[in-house]
Each structure stands twice: as structure tokens, then as C-alpha cells.
Amino acid sequence: MAKTSDRFERVYSQGALNVMEIWVDRETGVNYLFHTSGNAGGMTPLLDREGKPVITSVYKYDS
């Protein structure tokens, strides 16, 4: 099994104080939206128009 630090990959980031990022789970391909502002933050699955999770093709990587 892969190390925890290798499971997720940040594929998009914007902002400095109000940060918005998209992370991809390399095992499932599910995309997550992460937002932080100051000391508060949260993560949720990124959904398409039909309310289904956005899934990226899973690519192999060395663990």
C-alpha cells in the first residue's frame, strides 16, 4: 500500500489567504475541493452537474 503522503495529489491551487485547491485521490480518482481561509478550512468531494463525484482517470505511480 502507498504511503499516506503519496495517495493525494494537488492538481490546482489559487489564492494566498483564501486558498482554493483541487486534490485527486490516486487510488480512486475522486476529485476533492479544499478551501481554507485563515484558521478555518474544509474538504468535500467535487460534484458534476448531476451530483455525481468528478473522477479523474487513475494513473499508476511508484510507492
Side-chain angles (χ1 to χ4, degrees):
M1 183 174 233
K3 295 178 284 185
T4 304
S5 60
D6 291 338
R7 179 158 182 177
F8 293 92
E9 178 181 3
R10 182 177 57 200
V11 295
Y12 177 80
S13 182
Q14 77 177 32
L17 297 176
N18 291 313
V19 179
M20 186 87 61
E21 298 175 339
I22 297 176
W23 289 80
V24 176
D25 181 335
R26 291 183 179 196
E27 290 187 17
T28 64
V30 175
N31 288 239
Y32 293 89
L33 178 65
F34 174 72
H35 182 266
T36 184
S37 179
N39 292 330
M43 181 177 262
T44 187
L46 189 61
L47 305 177
D48 65 14
R49 289 182 177 187
E50 297 174 359
K52 296 179 182 178
V54 174
I55 298 180
T56 300
S57 297
V58 177
Y59 30 80
K60 301 290 182 191
Y61 62 96
D62 295 326
S63 52

